[in-house]
Amino acid sequence: QCAAWIPEAGAVLDLLEKCPEHPEKGGFPVVVFEGLDATGKTTVTQSVKDTLNGVLLRSPPTCISQWRTIFDDEPAPIKRAFYAAGNYILASEIAKASTQAPVIIDRYWHSTAAYTIATEINGKVQDLPPVHDEVYQWPEDLLKPDLVL
């Protein structure tokens, strides 16, 4: 429905529909680097990619990153949907790349989950969801990395 006022949403959904439902990881390791903005993730991921002769992927994936500023200006639920869709599109790219080389990822599901939690609690630590809340659980249908740093 939001494609009526955000035409780019239709393009994101089209890409998402082309992704396999349960992509399987190839034989090479998949390593995710998470962290706050401007903490050196780009530098570290590039260095690790070069050292391992791997593939570097970023979240959101390149195929939708040109629309990031559009969705960042939208209300939180639409913004979260964009990044969630990006995780599934990225999972498809990870599955394919991990059949050829080690895959290094600059952010993934963890950043989306952290943003979701942060926007829902309005900055109050005492409002965090309880420890076993489903928001902390890895989505069953999303490709899992081998290591997260």
Side-chain angles (χ1 to χ4, degrees):
Q1 292 175 338
C2 70
W5 78 88
I6 310 171
E8 296 81 3
V12 172
L13 292 173
D14 287 344
L15 287 169
L16 188 57
E17 283 189 17
K18 293 176 185 172
C19 295
E21 282 191 38
H22 294 282
E24 292 193 23
K25 191 178 84 55
F28 287 91
V30 175
V31 181
V32 175
F33 286 82
E34 292 284 357
L36 299 172
D37 290 346
T39 57
K41 288 181 309 304
T42 299
T43 302
V44 170
T45 55
Q46 185 64 50
S47 177
V48 172
K49 185 227 24 134
D50 292 344
T51 300
L52 297 178
N53 196 26
V55 174
L56 177 59
L57 300 174
R58 290 189 168 81
S59 180
T62 305
C63 61
I64 66 169
S65 64
Q66 72 268 22
W67 301 313
R68 186 176 181 175
T69 55
I70 292 165
F71 285 92
D72 281 350
D73 288 339
E74 293 298 326
I78 293 173
K79 183 177 178 179
R80 285 195 304 261
F82 170 75
Y83 285 97
N87 285 328
Y88 285 90
I89 294 167
L90 183 58
S92 182
E93 293 179 3
I94 294 166
K96 184 176 179 182
S98 66
T99 66
Q100 305 295 316
V103 180
I104 310 306
I105 308 167
D106 187 337
R107 291 195 172 162
Y108 192 31
W109 173 82
H110 311 83
S111 289
T112 306
Y115 174 79
T116 299
I117 294 165
T119 57
E120 290 299 316
I121 67 166
N122 299 315
K124 298 177 183 172
V125 173
Q126 63 270 25
D127 292 338
L128 282 170
V131 173
H132 298 292
D133 193 278
E134 68 180 19
V135 74
Y136 301 119
Q137 304 306 311
W138 190 273
E140 290 180 19
D141 59 346
L142 186 63
L143 187 143
K144 250 185 166 171
D146 294 299
L147 178 64
V148 179
L149 302 168

